[in-house]
Amino acid sequence: MTSEVVNKAAKWDETFNRGDTVSLGGFYAPEALVIPAGGAPVKGPEAIGKFFKDLQSNGFAGHKIVVDSVIEDGNTLIASGKWQLNGPGENGATKQYGGNWVNVVKRNGADLQILLHTWN
């Protein structure tokens, strides 16, 4: 199961890093929530895709996910790990940001869909 989540996380990174935020929204279930650190919740694939598009338009790129843990309970998984992202720093320099993330994921047939995505 962990390898399936690792593969999905790698595809998420690849999709984000090529700037395909419409497809990125497709990783999320219709009822999904993204709760950014210190920010307002974002609901649904279209709004989530727009959230990440706005993030990229502010100079954030080079996302990298590391999966540290996967807990499975039936069709529900809880995945967690570390993330890194490059973005604007002081005086136009690039700064590396990072922290912890948690996803609650549901199995939808052969696919995995994110129900909740949050980070610090």
Side-chain angles (χ1 to χ4, degrees), residues 30-111:
E31 66 275 25
L33 283 175
V34 164
I35 304 176
V42 181
K43 184 174 184 179
E46 186 176 329
I48 291 168
K50 183 182 179 319
F51 169 83
F52 287 114
K53 181 177 183 176
D54 291 347
L55 191 70
Q56 289 175 338
S57 71
N58 286 315
F60 290 90
H63 198 277
K64 174 69 176 144
I65 298 170
V66 175
V67 177
D68 291 333
S69 172
V70 177
I71 300 168
E72 184 175 4
D73 185 6
N75 286 328
T76 304
L77 298 95
I78 301 169
S80 63
K82 305 274 190 285
W83 64 272
Q84 292 181 344
L85 180 65
N86 297 320
E90 292 183 30
N91 300 320
T94 298
K95 179 178 176 182
Q96 190 173 77
Y97 297 85
N100 300 299
W101 62 269
V102 174
N103 281 0
V104 177
V105 180
K106 73 174 180 178
R107 185 170 298 287
N108 185 8
D111 194 22

